[in-house]
């Protein structure tokens, strides 16, 4: 069973970021719920997807001169560093380490989105259009 499901609270109002966040949640779910034989492949996919997403956000922050980019980028690096360390454990057959990593990412992600990624989306929209992003969210049941 996965510890995270997609919810509209994860939307920040930037289409590309939002789509990558959907993929990130799916990758976490896959790693949490896969068979042991699939752990290594799913962890590699999660790390690869995370690298690409963080690189995309990092480029946006530099291009848009996002003021708190250093803090945001440092957090990205810390998450990736943890992923690489977990990969070493999984290569030694310690699959549960990968599942715990996925579970910790599931706990980390909502606050990261609410605090850092939403601020980035607001900054980009303000710089490009002089406005705030519009985010339509379905009511949770």
């Amino acid at each position: 069973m996965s510890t995270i499901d997609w919810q509209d609270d994860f939307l920040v109002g930037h289409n590309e970021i939002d789509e990558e966040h959907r993929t990130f949640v799916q990758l976490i779910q896959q790693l949490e719920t896969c068979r042991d034989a699939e752990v290594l492949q799913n962890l590699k996919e999660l790390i690869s997807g995370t690298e690409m997403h963080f690189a995309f956000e990092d480029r946006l922050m530099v291009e848009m001169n996002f003021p708190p980019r250093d803090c945001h980028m440092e957090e990205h690096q810390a998450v990736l560093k943890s992923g690489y360390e977990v990969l070493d454990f999984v290569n030694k057959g310690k699959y549960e380490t990968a599942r715990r990593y996925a579970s910790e990412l599931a706990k980390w992600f909502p606050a990261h989105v609410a605090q850092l990624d939403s601020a980035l989306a607001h900054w980009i929209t303000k710089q490009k259009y002089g406005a705030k992003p519009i985010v339509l969210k379905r009511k949770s049941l």
Side-chain angles (χ1 to χ4, degrees):
M1 187 166 120
S2 178
T3 60
I4 190 168
D5 289 308
W6 178 260
Q7 52 189 290
D8 285 352
D9 288 342
F10 299 151
L11 295 170
V12 297
H14 185 282
N15 289 337
E16 291 164 294
I17 293 173
D18 289 337
E19 283 306 310
E20 290 192 11
H21 284 168
R22 285 181 196 275
T23 300
F24 185 71
V25 168
Q26 291 170 348
L27 291 170
I28 291 171
Q29 290 171 325
Q30 287 173 1
L31 182 54
E32 285 186 311
T33 61
C34 70
R35 298 183 327 231
D36 284 351
E38 300 168 328
V39 166
L40 180 59
Q41 182 60 37
N42 281 305
L43 176 60
K44 287 180 178 180
E45 288 175 15
L46 175 60
I47 291 171
S48 176
T50 303
E51 288 171 334
M52 290 188 299
H53 174 62
F54 286 173
F56 170 69
E57 280 190 6
D58 291 352
R59 276 192 309 276
L60 282 175
M61 287 186 274
V62 170
E63 289 170 7
M64 299 303 298
N65 201 28
F66 183 55
R69 69 183 168 270
D70 291 340
C71 173
H72 196 153
M73 292 167 77
E74 286 171 10
E75 189 165 309
H76 286 170
Q77 288 307 312
V79 168
L80 286 173
K81 182 178 183 278
S82 295
Y84 302 141
E85 291 169 356
V86 168
L87 184 57
D88 287 339
F89 281 99
V90 170
N91 281 324
K92 296 173 186 169
K94 298 181 179 181
Y95 302 126
E96 193 53 39
T97 306
R99 295 185 202 287
R100 283 197 315 271
Y101 176 64
S103 178
E104 290 303 317
L105 286 177
K107 293 175 192 172
W108 164 83
F109 182 67
H112 179 81
V113 168
Q115 296 166 3
L116 298 178
D117 289 344
S118 65
L120 174 58
H122 276 76
W123 178 261
I124 292 168
T125 305
K126 183 162 178 69
Q127 298 307 304
K128 285 187 172 185
Y129 308 109
K132 292 182 180 180
I134 296 173
V135 182
L136 302 175
K137 298 179 182 183
R138 291 172 287 187
K139 186 176 181 179
S140 298
L141 298 176

